[in-house]
Amino acid sequence: MSDSPKDDQNELSNVPYSFAVTSDTAHIRQSFSDLGQGESSGITHSVAGRIMLLRTQGKIAFAELRDSSGHVQLFASSDATEDFEKFISLSLGTWIGAIGEVMTTRRGELSIKVVKWVVLANAQRGFGDKWHGVTDPDTRYRQRYVDLWANPDARTVFVQRSKIISEMRRYLEDMGFMEVETPLLHSVAGGALARPFTTHHNALDIDLYLRIAPELYLKRLVVGGFERVFEIGRVFRNEGISPRHNPEFTMLELYQAYADYSDMMELTENLVAHLAELVCGSKIISYQGKPIDLTPPWRRVTMEELVSARLDKQVRLSMDLDELSAIARENEIAVAPSWGQGKVLLEIYEKTTEHTIWDPVFVCDYPLEVSPLSRDHRYKADMVERFEVIVAGRELANAFSELVDPAEQRRRFLHQVAQAQAGDDEAMGMDEDYIRALEYGLPATGGLGIGIDRLVMLLTDQSQIREVVAFPTMRPEQDR
RNA sequence: GCGCCUCUAGCUCAAUGGCAGAGCAACGGACUCUUAAUCCGCAGGUUCUGGGUUCGAAUCCCAGGGGGCGCACCA
């Protein structure tokens, strides 16, 4: 970052406003794959991209031209190429457009035999070591444009991210879901338990929150008669940054009328397995050196069973608070006085069990106490019909049968407000309009949220969220 | 927010108390089929910043800054 750009070379700064390409490098590779060694195709193409390598050899030169689809070799020679002397003095990183016949060299390398060429952009700064690239994480994340050229693997991740999201859209649309957009600016921060970012609207003179979840608006749309809706969008949570957390991240949320959380399980496992097959070529993927089998159906097991098996003793929500708290303390969990059995059970699960799960598991049936938007379990007291999907020790999805009873929703919100007053800065606020919406009638509805960034991490074998977010949140650069 | 680690040429890295170096990039040159081309030459530094210990500090100590990892919070 302290490096300074080279002085402009005037003749190279005078670059054209457009350049007509006839093909990209991937299509050329595809079209001329049967061209034998030392053959000329007789077909001229015009390509553009960056010069990533340049090998001069007296009166001839070889360059690697890279574009967004791949790369192809340029072959230049003093008798065929215009301004040959200038061509061989090009700096690595220069964008050029090149026109010439498609051919192969004596060694069989597919090449464009450059006749005419033009500089499209000058690279005044270099892209690092041509073998090692740039590995400094600070540079890679702050200057992603450098990373993407210096480290081709970084580029692949973002291509796959794009494929995952685009295929997710297509898959859901094929199921009859409609993509919608709901507000990012909320006057009540709801739909999840998290601290929000605050901002201010000048004309209305009110504080607004950047949304922590689209949930409550999406369910309003179901009330409005859109029976299958989804949104893929950014949410914002004012929390710490870590290898698995970025303050803004992308969520898929979907809602399906007349469905419950069992339907959401089926949808989730089928969607994720489908995406894995698309991106990884198999439902059995490799993550951080270990295999993960995403083939449906995934194991379905209750939180109580998981924790009981892990701790090798019965752990039930129906136990006395003292009894549960003792188990928590045995596992070095500090129990806060405001916690009920539900919160204690959740803490025990999260601290002792969650990180030990590798292959995908639907962790079913959460305590009502920690699930203010989920519908009461149809058979189990103080439980809700909710599940999280855990893969590789991490939460991948969260879903439930939605709470449809406005009076009960009001009680849940009131409890949240009390929690907030007791100092819980992640508790939800009262959302009167949402209750009013429920009063107009929300049918049985299944809801699902999937963290896209974490899904992309899983399917691209990345351990850090910064590898799948093009421009992760960073402390502002200091003057250096 | 707390703990541990780290910062040396544009990039990737050496030098562990004794003359700050290499490869790549850049720059100059040779070379008509290369594949990280090769070869010759040249240049490149506030060793993150500030203070301290020492005859002598990239190296040891203190403080600050950037980054990484772990914990906490969370998805």
Side-chain angles (χ1 to χ4, degrees), chain A residues 21-43:
Chain A
V21 297
T22 59
S23 184
D24 63 28
T25 62
H27 279 100
I28 285 175
R29 274 186 193 285
Q30 208 174 358
S31 310
F32 296 92
S33 58
D34 54 352
L35 204 58
Q37 284 189 6
E39 285 187 51
S40 295
S41 68
I43 296 168

Side-chain angles (χ1 to χ4, degrees), chain A residues 367-416:
Chain A
L368 185 150
E369 182 186 345
V370 296
S371 311
L373 302 169
S374 309
R375 189 167 181 178
D376 302 65
H377 199 286
R378 63 193 85 178
Y379 305 123
K380 298 179 182 176
D382 302 317
M383 291 277 198
V384 292
E385 296 195 353
R386 172 182 173 191
F387 70 82
E388 290 192 355
V389 173
I390 307 299
V391 187
R394 294 190 207 128
E395 179 184 340
L396 182 68
N398 181 17
F400 30 92
S401 301
E402 300 297 333
L403 178 57
V404 297
D405 176 348
E408 173 63 11
Q409 185 65 72
R410 178 180 295 282
R411 285 193 288 277
R412 304 271 188 96
F413 275 146
L414 284 171
H415 180 69
Q416 288 294 310

Side-chain angles (χ1 to χ4, degrees), chain A residues 266-285:
Chain A
E266 258 183 66
L267 195 163
T268 303
E269 62 195 5
N270 288 330
L271 171 62
V272 172
H274 174 77
L275 294 173
E277 195 136 44
L278 178 89
V279 172
C280 310
S282 167
K283 293 186 177 76
I284 301 171
I285 65 168

Side-chain angles (χ1 to χ4, degrees), chain A residues 313-330:
Chain A
K313 64 162 69 173
Q314 285 297 307
V315 182
R316 299 286 167 205
L317 182 63
S318 57
M319 287 173 158
D320 290 345
L321 181 58
D322 289 347
E323 210 174 345
L324 271 178
S325 298
I327 294 172
R329 279 188 287 270
E330 282 165 22

